Amino acid sequence: MDHKKQNIIVSVWNLYADGFRNMTWGRPLWGLIILKIVILFAILRVFFFQPVLSGKTDSEKSEFVGERLTEYLDDNV
């Protein structure tokens, strides 16, 4: 990497680092945003995206997926 590109990367990094260092309300807000995202994905995972294929053998999994695909294709074609 040449010297000019490295200077640009370092100056962009310093800009963001100084901005985050000088924040007053930003840190708690970022903390709330991250907490909200974690809770949101945890709730979505538990209630909406349950692992329906866990505990099944490979043949049972392939049969289940095949049935779902044929149902989907029958409904949408």
Side-chain angles (χ1 to χ4, degrees), residues 27-39:
R27 285 186 186 168
L29 291 177
W30 274 109
L32 285 173
I33 291 169
I34 291 171
L35 179 67
K36 184 177 179 179
I37 289 172
V38 167
I39 290 172

Side-chain angles (χ1 to χ4, degrees), residues 8-75:
I8 291 172
I9 293 171
V10 169
S11 47
V12 168
W13 174 261
N14 287 336
L15 175 75
Y16 280 100
D18 288 341
F20 280 110
R21 195 176 303 121
N22 294 327
M23 277 196 241
T24 55
W25 285 100
R27 285 186 186 168
L29 291 177
W30 274 109
L32 285 173
I33 291 169
I34 291 171
L35 179 67
K36 184 177 179 179
I37 289 172
V38 167
I39 290 172
L40 180 70
F41 281 114
I43 290 172
L44 285 175
R45 172 76 169 111
V46 170
F47 292 111
F48 297 108
F49 300 114
Q50 297 174 352
V52 294
L53 297 177
S54 64
K56 294 185 179 186
T57 64
D58 287 340
S59 61
E60 291 172 337
K61 288 178 184 179
S62 62
E63 186 176 327
F64 178 79
V65 171
E67 289 173 2
R68 290 293 172 118
L69 282 173
T70 54
E71 288 174 10
Y72 176 78
L73 291 174
D74 289 341
D75 292 341

